[in-house]
Amino acid sequence: MGQLLTAHGEIQTPCFMPVGTQGSVKAISPKELDESGAQIILSNAYHLFLRPGTEVIKDLGGLHNFMGWQKPILTDSGGYQIFSLALLRKINDEGVEFQSHIDGFKHFLTPEDVVQIQADLGTDIMMQLDECVHYPCAKDHAQVAMKRSLDWAQRSKSASRGQGQLLFGIVQGSTYDDLRRESAQRLVEMDFDGYAIGGVSVGEPKGLGYDIADFTVQYLPAEKPHYLMGVGTPPDIIKAVELGIDMFDCVVPTRYGRNGSAFTSQGKITVRNALHAYENKPLDEDCSCYACRNFSRAYLRHLFNCGEMLGMRLVSLHNIHFYLEMMRKAREAISRDRYTEFKKEFLERYDQCV
């Protein structure tokens, strides 16, 4: 178990960061996040830069005040979004030109610009601009992107940022061990506040992503936080913690919640299924969230079948609570030196049929 100090408070790791891409965790209020035990949330600099605009948020006192969340915030640089959402992007060593996926307006951003955007947002942890490649990727392309990301990392490190704002470097290199090793070792030489493993959850087989994390983390300093970007399901996270990963983010809890899938201690269930029509029991009898304390599976199924917004909110809230409680139990197991046993018990129970 570790501790990460930020300008807006201390974070106990390993931790899960609910994703509030556009300054909001979908369907969940900041009060509900706080009551569920969230220590930190993630927002996205690319999306906020485009809408409502950095100048709006800065003028209104920064992202914390803008969204009513006074605990730590990590902002992703938007590198992945630029390379996946933006139109007609052009990349060179100076930066990236792209058209907004919202209105088609052209923008050009350098690594220094991206640091400045995050500084203006007032984020606690900022990420460098990196070039993310998709899977599969030819090695020569992966190498060019990795070396460019390293150059951008150095420029990001040299850019000015607010007092107390932390900056993480991002390891790239696609599926190639030698590129991953070089990227990690050179980033460590630059001495970032933390290190992210990027370029996973981009279409590669699940086992391969796990192998990439396992290989990469050995080259990162144990005393600095390790962040596995975009991962994942409860079993993915529980397995990755054992590798030495400290921080996770994923849209899965709220995305699945909005679509009627709930994570429970015995596995994932689909709320809409007919077998829940008469079930007068909560989503998870071991869960203390608002949804599980007050509503039956039968009622939640009814809400989804009627298209009621409350159903999406309640299952999303449950899923967030489940993830955060899972991480709390993981930290407790680590503190008691019984994480291996906890992992085995969690996975055996999670695989049961509900």
Side-chain angles (χ1 to χ4, degrees), residues 141-162:
H141 183 193
Q143 184 172 32
V144 169
M146 182 272 289
K147 289 185 178 297
R148 180 174 286 140
S149 295
L150 285 172
D151 177 59
W152 288 357
Q154 185 61 69
R155 289 167 57 187
S156 299
K157 189 78 163 54
S158 301
S160 62
R161 56 187 191 271

Side-chain angles (χ1 to χ4, degrees), residues 7-116:
H8 282 84
E10 181 180 291
I11 302 162
Q12 302 289 326
T13 64
C15 69
F16 178 79
M17 300 179 284
V19 176
T21 300
Q22 302 190 78
S24 168
V25 177
K26 291 192 187 311
I28 311 294
S29 73
K31 183 175 184 290
E32 289 167 328
L33 288 169
D34 187 43
E35 291 172 347
S36 295
Q39 304 180 80
I40 176 174
I41 63 171
L42 178 146
S43 287
N44 189 279
Y46 166 83
H47 285 283
L48 295 172
F49 165 73
L50 293 178
R51 187 171 54 190
T54 315
E55 66 284 352
V56 172
I57 296 173
K58 183 179 181 182
D59 188 64
L60 291 172
L63 185 56
H64 293 83
N65 288 338
F66 188 63
M67 64 181 293
W69 174 257
Q70 296 307 320
K71 289 184 176 181
I73 297 175
L74 179 149
T75 45
D76 192 0
S77 66
Y80 175 78
Q81 285 70 30
I82 289 172
F83 301 115
S84 63
L85 293 177
L87 307 172
L88 302 175
R89 60 187 181 272
K90 296 178 182 177
I91 308 163
N92 59 45
D93 291 342
E94 182 60 23
V96 57
E97 181 183 78
F98 62 96
Q99 282 186 306
S100 165
H101 71 284
I102 297 170
D103 57 15
F105 193 83
K106 280 189 177 181
H107 301 274
F108 185 85
L109 292 176
T110 67
E112 294 84 357
D113 292 332
V114 171
V115 169
Q116 186 61 56

Side-chain angles (χ1 to χ4, degrees), residues 291-303:
C292 288
R293 292 197 316 270
N294 291 280
F295 305 105
S296 67
R297 292 184 180 187
Y299 177 64
L300 294 171
R301 177 178 183 271
H302 161 71
L303 293 178

Side-chain angles (χ1 to χ4, degrees), residues 133-139 141-142 174-176 202-205 208:
V133 298
H134 293 290
Y135 175 88
C137 179
K139 187 172 184 179
H141 183 193
S174 187
T175 58
Y176 303 99
V202 291
E204 78 282 356
L208 184 54

